[in-house]
Amino acid sequence: MTTEPDRQAVGSLRAVAIDAPDIDRLATFYEQLAGWRRRPTGDDDDDWITLVTDDGWQIGLQQAVDHVPPHWPGQDRPQQAHLDFQVSDIDAAAERAQQLGASLLQRNERWHTLADPAGHPFCLCLKADEPRTTLAGVMLDCPDAKALSHFYAELLGKPVTYEGDGIAMIGEQGAQPVLFQQVEQYAAPRWPDPAYPQQIHLDVQVQDVDTAERAALAIGATRLDGAGPGWRVYADPAGHPFCLVWAA
């Protein structure tokens, strides 16, 4: 199924940002696992590393010295979100990931779940005709997958392309889709409280932040107490923080 957002997009997906206590180590892990490349920033930002992929994703690694890693699959320290990778051989890819510092959490017939060196779960999903390791999408946990997918469809201008039992997706495969999975007894982040960490957040590129803020609030976002040169912090209806970012 495909449904188009009813309104003009608030912004576009700029980056998926991952919190970690050691961003250099995590950057090296994903460089070696998936072939991602560090993008030079042109400044001395010790708190952020941007990784880029061959198919257009930008992954930001954000320094979080007080980072509390997830404890998957429970909700006492929830993952909040995770990355799905496509690989041609999940057993070989899982072995390689463990050699690089990942921990195996669960094996399934068509995917394996591991934790990266910062403790973030990720999945290696079988795609036999894909010789490369590619990022299939980012998946957000939530109490209502359908409702959150429609919020992000309007926020990012990506159509809802799939709705199933407790799962939904916006955007097309191969075009940076965002997925949503329904979680029982879902526990939301309480940013910036490190006891209830965000773990992962999305950066949304906008042209005029005041106009974008009004539009985001109108579709269900909440303004949070965080801002800087070129960014403001909000929460989606499930409590996940996200940033509106612009050229300062």
Side-chain angles (χ1 to χ4, degrees), residues 30 32-36 83-97 107-114 122-137:
Y30 282 113
Q32 296 176 342
L33 177 70
W36 296 351
L83 303 180
D84 284 334
F85 293 90
Q86 292 178 327
V87 297
S88 60
D89 185 326
I90 55 175
D91 291 324
E95 181 177 353
R96 170 66 173 160
R107 289 183 181 271
N108 292 283
E109 183 176 349
R110 295 191 62 81
W111 74 86
H112 295 341
T113 303
L114 298 95
F122 65 92
C123 289
L124 300 173
C125 306
L126 181 62
K127 188 170 175 35
D129 59 350
E130 176 54 76
R132 304 170 301 162
T133 298
T134 60
L135 180 57

CSV table of all heavy atoms in Angstrom, one decimal, residues 30 32-36 83-97 107-114 122-137:
chain,number,residue,atom,x,y,z
A,30,TYR,N,31.8,0.8,12.1
A,30,TYR,CA,30.9,0.9,10.9
A,30,TYR,C,31.7,1.1,9.6
A,30,TYR,O,31.2,0.6,8.6
A,30,TYR,CB,29.9,1.9,11.1
A,30,TYR,CG,28.8,1.5,12.1
A,30,TYR,CD1,28.6,2.0,13.3
A,30,TYR,CD2,27.9,0.4,11.7
A,30,TYR,CE1,27.6,1.6,14.2
A,30,TYR,CE2,26.9,0.0,12.6
A,30,TYR,CZ,26.8,0.5,13.8
A,30,TYR,OH,25.8,0.1,14.7
A,32,GLN,N,34.5,-0.4,9.0
A,32,GLN,CA,35.0,-1.7,8.6
A,32,GLN,C,33.9,-2.7,8.3
A,32,GLN,O,34.0,-3.6,7.5
A,32,GLN,CB,35.9,-2.2,9.7
A,32,GLN,CG,37.1,-1.4,9.9
A,32,GLN,CD,38.0,-1.9,11.1
A,32,GLN,OE1,37.5,-2.6,12.0
A,32,GLN,NE2,39.2,-1.5,11.1
A,33,LEU,N,32.7,-2.5,9.0
A,33,LEU,CA,31.6,-3.4,8.8
A,33,LEU,C,30.9,-3.2,7.5
A,33,LEU,O,30.6,-4.1,6.7
A,33,LEU,CB,30.6,-3.3,10.0
A,33,LEU,CG,29.3,-4.2,9.8
A,33,LEU,CD1,29.7,-5.7,10.0
A,33,LEU,CD2,28.3,-3.7,10.8
A,34,ALA,N,30.6,-1.9,7.2
A,34,ALA,CA,29.7,-1.6,6.1
A,34,ALA,C,30.4,-0.7,5.0
A,34,ALA,O,29.7,-0.4,4.0
A,34,ALA,CB,28.5,-0.9,6.6
A,35,GLY,N,31.6,-0.4,5.2
A,35,GLY,CA,32.3,0.4,4.2
A,35,GLY,C,31.9,1.9,4.2
A,35,GLY,O,32.1,2.6,3.2
A,36,TRP,N,31.3,2.4,5.3
A,36,TRP,CA,31.0,3.8,5.4
A,36,TRP,C,32.3,4.6,5.5
A,36,TRP,O,33.3,4.1,5.8
A,36,TRP,CB,30.1,4.0,6.6
A,36,TRP,CG,28.8,3.4,6.6
A,36,TRP,CD1,28.2,2.7,5.5
A,36,TRP,CD2,27.9,3.2,7.7
A,36,TRP,NE1,27.0,2.2,5.9
A,36,TRP,CE2,26.8,2.5,7.2
A,36,TRP,CE3,27.9,3.7,9.0
A,36,TRP,CZ2,25.7,2.2,8.0
A,36,TRP,CZ3,26.8,3.4,9.8
A,36,TRP,CH2,25.7,2.7,9.3
A,83,LEU,N,19.2,-0.1,13.5
A,83,LEU,CA,19.5,-0.1,12.1
A,83,LEU,C,19.3,-1.5,11.5
A,83,LEU,O,19.7,-2.5,12.2
A,83,LEU,CB,20.9,0.4,11.8
A,83,LEU,CG,21.3,1.8,12.3
A,83,LEU,CD1,22.8,2.1,12.0
A,83,LEU,CD2,20.4,2.8,11.8
A,84,ASP,N,18.8,-1.6,10.3
A,84,ASP,CA,18.7,-2.9,9.6
A,84,ASP,C,19.7,-2.9,8.4
A,84,ASP,O,19.6,-2.0,7.5
A,84,ASP,CB,17.3,-3.1,9.1
A,84,ASP,CG,16.3,-3.5,10.2
A,84,ASP,OD1,16.8,-4.1,11.2
A,84,ASP,OD2,15.1,-3.3,10.1
A,85,PHE,N,20.5,-3.9,8.4
A,85,PHE,CA,21.5,-4.0,7.3
A,85,PHE,C,21.1,-5.2,6.4
A,85,PHE,O,20.5,-6.2,6.9
A,85,PHE,CB,22.9,-4.3,7.8
A,85,PHE,CG,23.5,-3.1,8.5
A,85,PHE,CD1,23.4,-2.9,9.8
A,85,PHE,CD2,24.2,-2.1,7.8
A,85,PHE,CE1,23.9,-1.8,10.5
A,85,PHE,CE2,24.8,-1.0,8.4
A,85,PHE,CZ,24.6,-0.9,9.8
A,86,GLN,N,21.3,-5.1,5.1
A,86,GLN,CA,21.1,-6.2,4.2
A,86,GLN,C,22.5,-6.8,3.8
A,86,GLN,O,23.4,-6.1,3.5
A,86,GLN,CB,20.4,-5.8,2.9
A,86,GLN,CG,19.0,-5.4,3.2
A,86,GLN,CD,18.3,-4.9,2.0
A,86,GLN,OE1,18.9,-4.3,1.1
A,86,GLN,NE2,17.0,-5.1,1.9
A,87,VAL,N,22.6,-8.1,3.9
A,87,VAL,CA,23.8,-8.9,3.6
A,87,VAL,C,23.5,-10.1,2.8
A,87,VAL,O,22.4,-10.7,3.0
A,87,VAL,CB,24.6,-9.2,4.9
A,87,VAL,CG1,25.1,-7.9,5.6
A,87,VAL,CG2,23.8,-10.1,5.8
A,88,SER,N,24.5,-10.6,2.1
A,88,SER,CA,24.2,-11.8,1.3
A,88,SER,C,24.4,-13.1,2.1
A,88,SER,O,23.8,-14.2,1.8
A,88,SER,CB,25.2,-11.9,0.1
A,88,SER,OG,26.5,-11.9,0.5
A,89,ASP,N,25.1,-13.1,3.2
A,89,ASP,CA,25.4,-14.2,4.1
A,89,ASP,C,25.4,-13.7,5.5
A,89,ASP,O,26.3,-13.1,6.0
A,89,ASP,CB,26.7,-14.8,3.7
A,89,ASP,CG,27.0,-16.1,4.5
A,89,ASP,OD1,26.6,-16.3,5.6
A,89,ASP,OD2,27.7,-17.0,3.9
A,90,ILE,N,24.3,-14.0,6.2
A,90,ILE,CA,24.1,-13.5,7.6
A,90,ILE,C,25.1,-14.1,8.6
A,90,ILE,O,25.6,-13.5,9.5
A,90,ILE,CB,22.7,-13.5,8.1
A,90,ILE,CG1,22.1,-15.0,8.0
A,90,ILE,CG2,21.8,-12.6,7.3
A,90,ILE,CD1,20.8,-15.1,8.7
A,91,ASP,N,25.4,-15.4,8.4
A,91,ASP,CA,26.4,-16.0,9.3
A,91,ASP,C,27.8,-15.5,9.1
A,91,ASP,O,28.4,-15.2,10.1
A,91,ASP,CB,26.4,-17.5,9.0
A,91,ASP,CG,25.1,-18.2,9.5
A,91,ASP,OD1,24.5,-17.8,10.5
A,91,ASP,OD2,24.7,-19.2,8.8
A,92,ALA,N,28.2,-15.3,7.9
A,92,ALA,CA,29.5,-14.7,7.7
A,92,ALA,C,29.6,-13.3,8.1
A,92,ALA,O,30.6,-12.8,8.7
A,92,ALA,CB,29.9,-14.8,6.2
A,93,ALA,N,28.5,-12.5,7.9
A,93,ALA,CA,28.5,-11.1,8.3
A,93,ALA,C,28.5,-11.0,9.8
A,93,ALA,O,29.1,-10.1,10.4
A,93,ALA,CB,27.3,-10.4,7.7
A,94,ALA,N,27.8,-11.9,10.5
A,94,ALA,CA,27.7,-11.9,11.9
A,94,ALA,C,29.1,-12.2,12.5
A,94,ALA,O,29.5,-11.6,13.5
A,94,ALA,CB,26.7,-12.8,12.5
A,95,GLU,N,29.8,-13.2,11.9
A,95,GLU,CA,31.1,-13.5,12.4
A,95,GLU,C,32.1,-12.3,12.2
A,95,GLU,O,32.9,-12.0,13.1
A,95,GLU,CB,31.6,-14.7,11.6
A,95,GLU,CG,33.0,-15.2,12.1
A,95,GLU,CD,33.5,-16.4,11.4
A,95,GLU,OE1,32.7,-17.0,10.6
A,95,GLU,OE2,34.7,-16.8,11.6
A,96,ARG,N,32.0,-11.7,11.0
A,96,ARG,CA,32.8,-10.5,10.8
A,96,ARG,C,32.5,-9.4,11.8
A,96,ARG,O,33.4,-8.8,12.3
A,96,ARG,CB,32.6,-10.0,9.4
A,96,ARG,CG,33.2,-8.7,9.0
A,96,ARG,CD,34.7,-8.7,9.0
A,96,ARG,NE,35.2,-7.5,8.4
A,96,ARG,CZ,36.4,-7.0,8.7
A,96,ARG,NH1,37.3,-7.8,9.4
A,96,ARG,NH2,36.8,-5.9,8.1
A,97,ALA,N,31.2,-9.1,12.0
A,97,ALA,CA,30.9,-8.1,13.0
A,97,ALA,C,31.4,-8.4,14.4
A,97,ALA,O,31.9,-7.5,15.1
A,97,ALA,CB,29.3,-8.0,13.0
A,107,ARG,N,20.0,-15.2,17.0
A,107,ARG,CA,20.0,-15.7,15.6
A,107,ARG,C,18.6,-16.1,15.2
A,107,ARG,O,17.9,-16.7,16.0
A,107,ARG,CB,20.9,-17.0,15.5
A,107,ARG,CG,22.4,-16.7,15.7
A,107,ARG,CD,23.2,-18.0,15.5
A,107,ARG,NE,24.6,-17.8,15.6
A,107,ARG,CZ,25.5,-17.5,14.6
A,107,ARG,NH1,25.0,-17.3,13.4
A,107,ARG,NH2,26.8,-17.3,14.9
A,108,ASN,N,18.3,-15.8,13.9
A,108,ASN,CA,17.1,-16.2,13.3
A,108,ASN,C,17.5,-16.8,11.9
A,108,ASN,O,18.6,-16.6,11.4
A,108,ASN,CB,16.1,-15.1,13.2
A,108,ASN,CG,15.6,-14.6,14.5
A,108,ASN,OD1,14.7,-15.3,15.1
A,108,ASN,ND2,16.1,-13.5,15.0
A,109,GLU,N,16.5,-17.4,11.2
A,109,GLU,CA,16.8,-17.9,9.9
A,109,GLU,C,17.1,-16.9,8.9
A,109,GLU,O,18.0,-17.1,8.1
A,109,GLU,CB,15.5,-18.8,9.5
A,109,GLU,CG,15.8,-19.5,8.1
A,109,GLU,CD,14.6,-20.3,7.7
A,109,GLU,OE1,13.7,-20.5,8.5
A,109,GLU,OE2,14.6,-20.8,6.5
A,110,ARG,N,16.4,-15.7,8.9
A,110,ARG,CA,16.7,-14.7,7.9
A,110,ARG,C,17.3,-13.4,8.5
A,110,ARG,O,17.6,-12.5,7.7
A,110,ARG,CB,15.3,-14.4,7.2
A,110,ARG,CG,14.7,-15.5,6.4
A,110,ARG,CD,13.6,-15.1,5.6
A,110,ARG,NE,14.0,-14.1,4.6
A,110,ARG,CZ,14.6,-14.5,3.4
A,110,ARG,NH1,14.9,-15.7,3.1
A,110,ARG,NH2,14.9,-13.5,2.5
A,111,TRP,N,17.5,-13.4,9.7
A,111,TRP,CA,18.3,-12.2,10.3
A,111,TRP,C,18.9,-12.6,11.6
A,111,TRP,O,18.5,-13.5,12.3
A,111,TRP,CB,17.4,-11.0,10.4
A,111,TRP,CG,16.4,-11.0,11.6
A,111,TRP,CD1,16.6,-10.6,12.9
A,111,TRP,CD2,15.1,-11.5,11.5
A,111,TRP,NE1,15.5,-10.8,13.6
A,111,TRP,CE2,14.5,-11.3,12.8
A,111,TRP,CE3,14.2,-12.0,10.5
A,111,TRP,CZ2,13.2,-11.7,13.1
A,111,TRP,CZ3,12.9,-12.3,10.8
A,111,TRP,CH2,12.4,-12.2,12.1
A,112,HIS,N,20.0,-11.9,11.9
A,112,HIS,CA,20.7,-12.0,13.2
A,112,HIS,C,20.7,-10.7,13.8
A,112,HIS,O,20.9,-9.6,13.2
A,112,HIS,CB,22.1,-12.5,13.0
A,112,HIS,CG,22.2,-13.9,12.5
A,112,HIS,ND1,21.2,-14.8,12.5
A,112,HIS,CD2,23.3,-14.6,11.9
A,112,HIS,CE1,21.6,-16.0,12.0
A,112,HIS,NE2,22.9,-15.8,11.6
A,113,THR,N,20.5,-10.6,15.1
A,113,THR,CA,20.6,-9.4,15.9
A,113,THR,C,21.9,-9.3,16.7
A,113,THR,O,22.2,-10.3,17.4
A,113,THR,CB,19.4,-9.3,16.8
A,113,THR,OG1,18.2,-9.3,16.1
A,113,THR,CG2,19.4,-7.9,17.6
A,114,LEU,N,22.6,-8.2,16.6
A,114,LEU,CA,23.8,-8.0,17.3
A,114,LEU,C,23.8,-6.7,18.0
A,114,LEU,O,22.9,-5.8,17.7
A,114,LEU,CB,25.1,-8.1,16.3
A,114,LEU,CG,25.3,-9.4,15.6
A,114,LEU,CD1,24.6,-9.4,14.3
A,114,LEU,CD2,26.7,-9.8,15.5
A,122,PHE,N,21.5,-4.0,16.3
A,122,PHE,CA,21.3,-3.8,14.9
A,122,PHE,C,21.0,-5.2,14.3
A,122,PHE,O,21.4,-6.2,14.9
A,122,PHE,CB,22.5,-3.1,14.1
A,122,PHE,CG,23.8,-3.9,14.1
A,122,PHE,CD1,24.1,-4.8,13.1
A,122,PHE,CD2,24.7,-3.8,15.2
A,122,PHE,CE1,25.3,-5.5,13.1
A,122,PHE,CE2,25.9,-4.5,15.2
A,122,PHE,CZ,26.2,-5.3,14.2
A,123,CYS,N,20.4,-5.2,13.1
A,123,CYS,CA,20.1,-6.5,12.5
A,123,CYS,C,20.8,-6.7,11.2
A,123,CYS,O,20.9,-5.7,10.4
A,123,CYS,CB,18.5,-6.6,12.3
A,123,CYS,SG,17.6,-6.8,13.8
A,124,LEU,N,21.3,-7.9,11.0
A,124,LEU,CA,21.8,-8.3,9.7
A,124,LEU,C,20.7,-9.1,9.0
A,124,LEU,O,20.4,-10.2,9.5
A,124,LEU,CB,23.1,-9.1,9.8
A,124,LEU,CG,24.2,-8.4,10.5
A,124,LEU,CD1,25.4,-9.3,10.8
A,124,LEU,CD2,24.7,-7.2,9.7
A,125,CYS,N,20.2,-8.6,7.9
A,125,CYS,CA,19.0,-9.3,7.2
A,125,CYS,C,19.5,-9.9,5.9
A,125,CYS,O,20.3,-9.3,5.2
A,125,CYS,CB,17.9,-8.3,7.0
A,125,CYS,SG,17.4,-7.4,8.4
A,126,LEU,N,19.0,-11.1,5.6
A,126,LEU,CA,19.4,-11.8,4.4
A,126,LEU,C,18.8,-11.2,3.2
A,126,LEU,O,17.6,-11.0,3.0
A,126,LEU,CB,19.0,-13.3,4.5
A,126,LEU,CG,19.3,-14.2,3.4
A,126,LEU,CD1,20.9,-14.3,3.3
A,126,LEU,CD2,18.7,-15.6,3.6
A,127,LYS,N,19.7,-10.9,2.2
A,127,LYS,CA,19.4,-10.5,0.9
A,127,LYS,C,20.4,-11.1,0.0
A,127,LYS,O,21.5,-10.5,-0.3
A,127,LYS,CB,19.3,-9.0,0.7
A,127,LYS,CG,18.8,-8.5,-0.6
A,127,LYS,CD,18.5,-7.0,-0.6
A,127,LYS,CE,18.0,-6.4,-1.9
A,127,LYS,NZ,17.2,-7.2,-2.7
A,128,ALA,N,20.1,-12.3,-0.5
A,128,ALA,CA,21.1,-13.1,-1.2
A,128,ALA,C,21.7,-12.5,-2.4
A,128,ALA,O,22.9,-12.8,-2.8
A,128,ALA,CB,20.5,-14.5,-1.5
A,129,ASP,N,20.9,-11.6,-3.1
A,129,ASP,CA,21.4,-11.0,-4.3
A,129,ASP,C,22.1,-9.7,-4.1
A,129,ASP,O,22.4,-9.0,-5.1
A,129,ASP,CB,20.3,-10.8,-5.3
A,129,ASP,CG,19.1,-9.9,-4.8
A,129,ASP,OD1,19.2,-9.6,-3.6
A,129,ASP,OD2,18.2,-9.6,-5.5
A,130,GLU,N,22.5,-9.3,-2.9
A,130,GLU,CA,23.1,-8.1,-2.6
A,130,GLU,C,24.5,-8.4,-2.1
A,130,GLU,O,24.7,-8.8,-0.9
A,130,GLU,CB,22.4,-7.3,-1.6
A,130,GLU,CG,23.0,-6.0,-1.1
A,130,GLU,CD,23.4,-5.1,-2.3
A,130,GLU,OE1,22.5,-4.4,-2.8
A,130,GLU,OE2,24.6,-5.0,-2.7
A,131,PRO,N,25.6,-8.2,-2.9
A,131,PRO,CA,26.9,-8.6,-2.5
A,131,PRO,C,27.5,-7.6,-1.5
A,131,PRO,O,28.4,-8.0,-0.7
A,131,PRO,CB,27.7,-8.5,-3.8
A,131,PRO,CG,27.0,-7.5,-4.7
A,131,PRO,CD,25.5,-7.7,-4.3
A,132,ARG,N,27.0,-6.4,-1.4
A,132,ARG,CA,27.5,-5.4,-0.4
A,132,ARG,C,26.7,-5.5,0.9
A,132,ARG,O,25.6,-6.0,0.9
A,132,ARG,CB,27.4,-4.0,-1.0
A,132,ARG,CG,28.1,-3.8,-2.4
A,132,ARG,CD,27.7,-2.4,-2.9
A,132,ARG,NE,26.3,-2.3,-3.1
A,132,ARG,CZ,25.6,-1.2,-3.2
A,132,ARG,NH1,26.3,0.0,-3.2
A,132,ARG,NH2,24.3,-1.1,-3.3
A,133,THR,N,27.3,-4.9,1.9
A,133,THR,CA,26.5,-4.6,3.1
A,133,THR,C,25.9,-3.3,3.0
A,133,THR,O,26.6,-2.3,3.0
A,133,THR,CB,27.5,-4.7,4.4
A,133,THR,OG1,28.0,-6.0,4.5
A,133,THR,CG2,26.7,-4.4,5.6
A,134,THR,N,24.6,-3.2,3.0
A,134,THR,CA,23.9,-2.0,2.7
A,134,THR,C,22.9,-1.7,3.9
A,134,THR,O,22.4,-2.6,4.5
A,134,THR,CB,23.1,-2.0,1.4
A,134,THR,OG1,22.1,-3.1,1.5
A,134,THR,CG2,24.0,-2.2,0.2
A,135,LEU,N,22.6,-0.4,4.1
A,135,LEU,CA,21.7,0.0,5.2
A,135,LEU,C,20.3,0.0,4.6
A,135,LEU,O,20.0,0.8,3.7
A,135,LEU,CB,22.1,1.3,5.7
A,135,LEU,CG,21.2,1.9,6.8
A,135,LEU,CD1,21.1,0.9,8.0
A,135,LEU,CD2,21.6,3.2,7.3
A,136,ALA,N,19.5,-0.9,5.0
A,136,ALA,CA,18.1,-1.0,4.5
A,136,ALA,C,17.2,0.0,5.0
A,136,ALA,O,16.3,0.5,4.4
A,136,ALA,CB,17.5,-2.4,4.7
A,137,GLY,N,17.4,0.4,6.3
A,137,GLY,CA,16.5,1.4,6.9
A,137,GLY,C,16.8,1.5,8.4
A,137,GLY,O,17.6,0.8,9.0
